[in-house]
Amino acid sequence: MPITSKLSSKLKTSKRLLTGYLRRHIPNESVFSDLCAFGERVANEVDGWGRECEVSPPRLVQYDSWGNRVDCIDTSAAWKRMKDLSAQEGLVSIGYERPFGEWSRVYQMSKLFLFSPSSGLYTCPLAMTDGAAKVIASIGISWPVKEAFNRLTTRKSDYFWTSGQWMTERQGGSDVANGTETVAVPQTDGSFKLYGYKWFTSATDADMTLTLARVQDSRGSITPGSRGLSLFYAEVSRDQSGQLKGIEVQKLKDKLGTRQMPTAELLLDGLTAHMISSEGRGVASIANMLTVTRIHNSVSAAAAMRRVVQLSRDYATRRKAFGKLLKDHPLHMQTLSRMEIETRGAFLLVMDICRLLGREEMGTATELDSHLLRLLTPVVKLYTGKQAVAVVSEGLESFGGQGYIEDTGLPGLFRDSQVLSIWEGTTNVLSLDVLRCVSRSSGMVLHAYFSHTKILLEGASGVSILTPAVNSMQIALSKLELLVQDAATKDPNYLELAARDLAYSLARIYAGALLIDHASWKGASPADAYAALRWCEQDLCPVATNHERGWYNPGSPSDNAAFSLACERSTASKQEQAEFA
Ligand code: MFK
């Protein structure tokens, strides 16, 4: 039996931070009873399905027994059960039913937080389904997407649809604006036929998709770049002979992880679609989907950390080495406590962004809240995605050699965490998004950030145990404020080199403020205060530290050294290539 299943009963007992957060912000008994019942179901039932998804990955059947092209993606029974469960439990619909007003997203994402590590990656189609519903809701719930919206947000499992998000093409991974080659040919009835090649399509067994394409005019010309992209809605359906209409599944990808779900290369060969954005507003229109999928990604990252910490902690109470349990080895416990602190920071970042999303959707967000949501979405996604890889890796190590053995179920956790920093925008692409978002807002985004961080710290002013943490935060905040004051005068190369450290600083400082705020709440535990203190002992503002080191000055000795280090290998390989030629 995999260790992840053996320990799943621990799910119920070690989610104190989640409980504390919810007791503080949504003190409603129906939330607790629903989450407790769902937690039981995840531990006792769903976790096993997740394992089944892992050991019975999807497979592509391109031809039937009679040689007819069918392009069927065969998925496991467990994967199909995940779909039914997702509808019944409202894992998407809660965000649209909004039973707890502006706190509904926190409630929905709390369920996903419990579900994610056991879900066999079903969180991926749910993220895209939620993102598609959000796009439709923002554009207008009318024909041709009214029924699609109803299906995406239903609790009836036989009516429920999932959506794809077909954005990635051969030339356009991160650079969607320039690399998208798919064309949309107008039809006389107002619809379009799409022709192109989608290089990565995740959870390709979806019922519909949103995708980007360039409209071809009557002379066959298209507009290049971002302004040429429009957003399309298409249903995935079959003709009477069972063949997919307008789509050929070329292959399923052989991936490092996320093997539970199908990721396919698709040839779009006359797929019927409807334009749902204004022409040329495709990227801006799909941005709503990106916001939601990036938040889901962050939830999954925090949940992966939480799961591995639970497993490691439990193992430490069972495994003896050098004559005593691991829990009695101080160095081992120090490592686990560092993982725990990282997990807590990630959890509070994630919940805060869900709070902001909920406020925006209920119309209660202030202008500052909206700026904060725009800024923190990429910040939280990039930070938690990266930290999940580190924490899950550390977690595997805490099992010694067993962490490396497949039948424990642990290596799957590691493989699946690695994607979190890649899809939905890599760390560097999102760092540049943060930079663009800051520079285009005439200071408003950072004003929102600094104001809210200071409000969070003010609440802790009377809590003496937290004073060292608050002091460290104030120093870090002053350094960051000073640095960004004259950012407008900086060379673009300086800004690009500083972008990742800036995003990390924004994440660490904001998480520090959230941890302090949480620890100063009347229901907080001593562990909450300890976590806040420890978090604030790290370098909270690496962008200021590395600025002082001169790391961002293009042409400086340290910058030249960094570039020659990065280029050494490629230069060598070019020489080798030349020698072989
Ligand atoms: C468990 C969770 C699972 C999650 C499952 C996901 C599975 C799906 C896997 C995938 O599909 S992965 C593929 C994901 N691909 C990416 O994330 C693409 C990464 N690249 C970027 O994000 C680029 O920054 C981007 C493509 C958006 C850049 O495009 P552009 O056209 O160069 O952007 P530009 O010119 O900055 O912005 C165009 C408009 O969009 C602007 O609006 P306006 O014209 O009104 O000014 C921007 O403000 C707006 N925009 C861009 N990014 C935005 C945004 N608005 C809000 N939020 C954003 N992030």
Side-chain angles (χ1 to χ4, degrees):
M1 193 195 287
I3 211 156
T4 46
S5 304
K6 250 203 258 176
L7 300 179
S8 61
S9 61
K10 293 283 152 194
L11 279 174
K12 290 176 279 214
T13 54
S14 40
K15 47 179 194 283
R16 262 179 234 118
L17 188 60
L18 173 63
T19 323
Y21 186 89
L22 293 175
R23 287 224 181 277
R24 182 179 180 191
H25 296 290
I26 331 181
N28 183 305
E29 272 318 309
S30 64
V31 168
F32 286 94
S33 55
D34 183 50
L35 285 172
C36 285
F38 185 55
E40 293 281 338
R41 200 172 172 194
V42 169
N44 299 325
E45 198 178 3
V46 178
D47 199 62
W49 303 350
R51 183 68 185 162
E52 194 183 322
C53 293
E54 169 100 18
V55 297
S56 311
R59 88 197 159 93
L60 173 63
V61 180
Q62 264 177 327
Y63 295 91
D64 69 11
S65 318
W66 309 104
N68 301 311
R69 183 105 194 211
V70 286
D71 288 351
C72 269
I73 298 174
D74 254 4
T75 53
S76 63
W79 179 259
K80 295 182 181 79
R81 284 199 293 274
M82 292 291 188
K83 184 175 183 183
D84 293 347
L85 168 110
S86 301
Q88 290 155 7
E89 291 285 348
L91 297 182
V92 174
S93 68
I94 291 171
Y96 300 86
E97 294 160 357
R98 299 181 189 151
F100 298 102
E102 64 183 49
W103 290 99
S104 301
R105 284 291 188 178
V106 166
Y107 168 44
Q108 175 203 5
M109 297 298 174
S110 299
K111 287 191 90 165
L112 283 159
F113 180 73
L114 295 177
F115 177 57
S116 178
S118 300
S119 71
L121 252 291
Y122 209 79
T123 43
C124 171
L126 295 183
M128 296 186 294
T129 301
D130 196 349
K134 171 87 177 163
V135 168
I136 295 173
S138 63
I139 285 173
I141 306 168
S142 56
W143 189 88
V145 284
K146 188 169 192 295
E147 185 181 349
F149 179 82
N150 293 339
R151 285 179 174 275
L152 299 175
T153 57
T154 184
R155 281 185 183 247
K156 293 184 196 140
S157 49
D158 55 353
Y159 187 64
F160 182 49
W161 271 5
T162 59
S163 175
Q165 171 196 339
W166 301 348
M167 277 181 79
T168 307
E169 302 199 5
R170 274 178 291 208
Q171 299 306 320
S174 302
D175 190 4
V176 174
N178 297 307
T180 301
E181 294 171 335
T182 298
V183 294
V185 181
Q187 306 296 298
T188 48
D189 64 356
S191 68
F192 291 80
K193 295 267 186 211
L194 303 188
Y195 297 87
Y197 200 92
K198 298 290 173 180
W199 183 242
F200 280 102
T201 59
S202 298
T204 319
D205 59 335
D207 305 282
M208 57 160 277
T209 193
L210 298 188
T211 192
L212 296 170
R214 298 182 194 282
V215 175
Q216 211 172 54
D217 67 20
S218 52
R219 287 166 294 140
S221 307
I222 47 149
T223 307
S226 189
R227 301 303 297 268
L229 287 173
S230 305
L231 182 60
F232 291 85
Y233 158 74
E235 289 175 22
V236 180
S237 60
R238 293 182 180 272
D239 62 21
Q240 281 174 341
S241 66
Q243 203 168 345
L244 277 174
K245 286 196 211 165
I247 302 173
E248 280 185 10
V249 184
Q250 298 301 88
K251 65 182 282 199
L252 291 189
K253 298 281 197 184
D254 186 7
K255 297 164 289 176
L256 169 68
T258 71
R259 294 180 189 168
Q260 307 91 323
M261 60 154 204
T263 302
E265 285 176 31
L266 296 182
L267 175 72
L268 307 188
D269 191 16
L271 174 66
T272 299
H274 298 274
M275 197 199 290
I276 59 167
S277 68
S278 312
E279 194 170 334
R281 296 291 295 159
V283 173
S285 303
I286 210 167
N288 267 321
M289 187 167 201
L290 294 178
T291 298
V292 168
T293 48
R294 287 170 182 171
I295 292 174
H296 276 256
N297 198 89
S298 309
V299 173
S300 287
M305 294 188 226
R306 169 52 69 219
R307 172 60 60 87
V308 88
V309 171
Q310 283 168 354
L311 294 173
S312 301
R313 193 188 282 151
D314 186 79
Y315 190 59
T317 65
R318 299 163 188 249
R319 163 83 175 145
K320 265 189 180 169
F322 306 105
K324 53 186 179 181
L325 289 167
L326 293 184
K327 77 174 180 54
D328 297 320
H329 290 273
L331 184 56
H332 190 75
M333 296 317 283
Q334 181 198 60
T335 305
L336 297 198
S337 103
R338 287 177 182 173
M339 288 162 60
E340 169 68 22
I341 290 161
E342 207 53 62
T343 304
R344 283 170 174 254
F347 172 83
L348 290 177
L349 283 173
V350 167
M351 284 298 147
D352 201 63
I353 201 158
C354 298
R355 175 188 72 84
L356 289 165
L357 179 66
R359 284 175 68 79
E360 194 204 42
E361 290 177 334
M362 286 302 291
T364 50
T366 61
E367 199 187 338
L368 292 190
D369 286 335
S370 300
H371 285 303
L372 207 49
L373 176 64
R374 172 67 184 94
L375 175 72
L376 290 179
T377 302
V379 165
V380 174
K381 191 284 183 183
L382 75 88
Y383 195 76
T384 57
K386 208 70 173 167
Q387 295 312 96
V389 180
V391 170
V392 173
S393 169
E394 193 72 78
L396 258 64
E397 195 177 327
S398 77
F399 284 84
Q402 286 305 105
Y404 206 65
I405 298 302
E406 283 293 340
D407 59 14
T408 62
L410 291 164
L413 284 179
F414 181 65
R415 283 196 293 271
D416 292 343
S417 64
Q418 182 63 68
V419 79
L420 297 167
S421 64
I422 298 176
W423 66 11
E424 290 307 320
T426 61
T427 311
N428 282 355
V429 165
L430 292 180
S431 298
L432 295 174
D433 183 48
V434 170
L435 200 58
R436 269 198 306 274
C437 149
V438 166
S439 60
R440 286 178 187 172
S441 78
S442 337
M444 284 307 289
V445 159
L446 286 177
H447 172 59
Y449 176 86
F450 287 121
S451 311
H452 194 67
T453 308
K454 286 173 189 169
I455 289 171
L456 289 170
L457 291 182
E458 274 162 22
S461 56
V463 188
S464 59
I465 190 174
L466 294 171
T467 304
V470 174
N471 290 345
S472 305
M473 284 286 295
Q474 267 152 358
I475 293 168
L477 266 174
S478 315
K479 283 185 183 175
L480 186 60
E481 272 184 301
L482 205 62
L483 200 63
V484 298
Q485 255 167 24
D486 64 346
T489 64
K490 295 286 186 200
D491 183 283
N493 289 327
Y494 171 99
L495 294 174
E496 180 168 338
L497 289 175
R500 188 194 275 233
D501 290 338
L502 171 67
Y504 270 53
S505 305
L506 292 167
R508 285 194 191 153
I509 291 174
Y510 199 76
L514 292 170
L515 283 159
I516 288 172
D517 171 65
H518 189 75
S520 57
W521 171 56
K522 63 177 170 25
S525 69
D528 294 324
Y530 176 83
L533 288 165
R534 285 286 169 274
W535 180 276
C536 294
E537 281 167 5
Q538 66 182 313
D539 183 357
L540 293 169
C541 194
V543 70
T545 310
N546 294 333
H547 164 80
E548 281 158 24
R549 291 174 175 146
W551 282 12
Y552 313 133
N553 298 327
S556 71
S558 58
D559 180 58
N560 287 336
F563 270 96
S564 50
L565 265 180
C567 296
E568 203 169 43
R569 184 175 281 271
S570 62
T571 313
S573 84
K574 270 186 200 147
Q575 278 170 1
E576 280 162 16
Q577 281 168 17
E579 279 164 23
F580 276 113

